[in-house]
Amino acid sequence: MARGGNQQQQQQYEDEEANHAMQEADEDEENNANVDNVEACAEEGGLAAQPLALLTSKGISATDVKKLQEAGFYTVEAVAYATKKTLLAVKGISEAKAEKISAEAVKLVHMGFVSANEFHQKRQDILMLSTGSTELDKLLGGGVETGSITELFGEFRTGKTQLCHTLCVTCQLGVSFGGAEGKAMYIDAEGTFRPERLVAIATRFGVDPQAVLDNVA
């Protein structure tokens, strides 16, 4: 009976090891697929932030990448800009690992200087989004600039939320109408987002309300 029990335990152990190996293989396959997608997008110039999985193609183990993700790191950029002390605070990351991870992340992120000419070329892609008010657009030099962070502040009920709703619509307009032919993401931290406002604003600008709603996440 004891021998049979040992054999059963051994078989169970082997089954668990096999399952673990299969899970690791699946994770590696998924990471490789993500890396291929990231590199393809990077070649097209359409990627802003690089997922952490990209580090696996640079010699960083999937296990260490998972540890970083559990600690709140989700992009290569977040790791590249993190201090060594911050990386060492991640459970399971030694000093040697922290140095290697940081070095590989920095190689993937452009952290140097750019010439005035390069910066000028990038500025050519900036668009100005209309606020819906001609006078306010004039004060802002044409509207709200894309590629930047614009902070709105003021007293209660001065139109900050209304302006955010309006920009969700105007960003979808054609460039010649003060838009960017794009989409919007609204992060509602106060529970003030109202889709019906978008419908009213879309009607004002003569665009399809349903299409506008579909383009706001």
Side-chain angles (χ1 to χ4, degrees):
M1 291 292 291
R3 183 176 180 182
N6 290 336
Q7 289 179 339
Q8 186 176 5
Q9 289 178 350
Q10 179 65 25
Q11 184 61 46
Q12 184 178 357
Y13 174 77
E14 291 177 355
D15 290 342
E16 290 177 353
E17 286 294 305
N19 289 332
H20 183 66
M22 289 178 64
Q23 288 178 354
E24 287 189 337
D26 289 340
E27 288 179 1
D28 289 340
E29 185 176 348
E30 183 178 351
N31 286 333
N32 289 333
N34 289 335
V35 168
D36 291 339
N37 290 332
V38 167
E39 291 178 341
C41 290
E43 289 176 0
E44 296 174 2
L47 190 68
Q50 305 173 81
L52 204 61
L54 189 59
L55 288 177
T56 58
S57 68
K58 305 301 178 182
I60 306 302
S61 71
T63 301
D64 288 337
V65 168
K66 186 175 182 180
K67 290 176 182 177
L68 291 169
Q69 291 174 329
E70 291 174 347
F73 293 94
Y74 300 105
T75 65
V76 176
E77 286 77 9
V79 174
Y81 291 117
T83 62
K84 182 179 178 181
K85 182 179 179 180
T86 302
L87 294 178
L88 286 173
V90 178
K91 186 177 180 180
I93 299 299
S94 63
E95 184 171 354
K97 285 185 177 180
E99 291 179 352
K100 182 179 180 181
I101 290 171
S102 180
E104 294 302 329
V106 168
K107 291 178 183 178
L108 294 169
V109 179
H110 179 65
M111 302 176 69
F113 295 98
V114 297
S115 68
N117 184 53
E118 287 180 276
F119 188 62
H120 176 65
Q121 293 300 319
K122 290 182 179 180
R123 293 281 301 174
Q124 302 307 304
D125 296 329
I126 291 177
L127 297 174
M128 305 301 287
L129 301 179
S130 174
T131 62
S133 168
T134 303
E135 294 304 314
L136 183 54
D137 286 346
K138 288 180 181 178
L139 288 173
L140 295 174
V144 177
E145 186 177 280
T146 61
S148 302
I149 296 177
T150 300
E151 180 180 4
L152 306 177
F153 64 93
E155 294 293 334
F156 179 64
R157 298 185 69 82
T158 54
K160 302 184 297 296
T161 300
Q162 180 65 20
L163 178 54
C164 289
H165 280 74
T166 301
L167 288 171
C168 284
V169 177
T170 59
C171 75
Q172 301 181 44
L173 301 176
V175 176
S176 59
F177 296 100
E181 300 178 9
K183 298 182 179 182
M185 176 178 286
Y186 197 109
I187 301 176
D188 187 8
E190 298 180 335
T192 56
F193 177 70
R194 297 292 181 270
E196 53 269 28
R197 287 196 188 185
L198 299 185
V199 172
I201 297 169
T203 301
R204 171 198 166 191
F205 284 98
V207 293
D208 180 11
Q210 187 58 52
V212 166
L213 293 175
D214 288 340
N215 287 329
V216 178

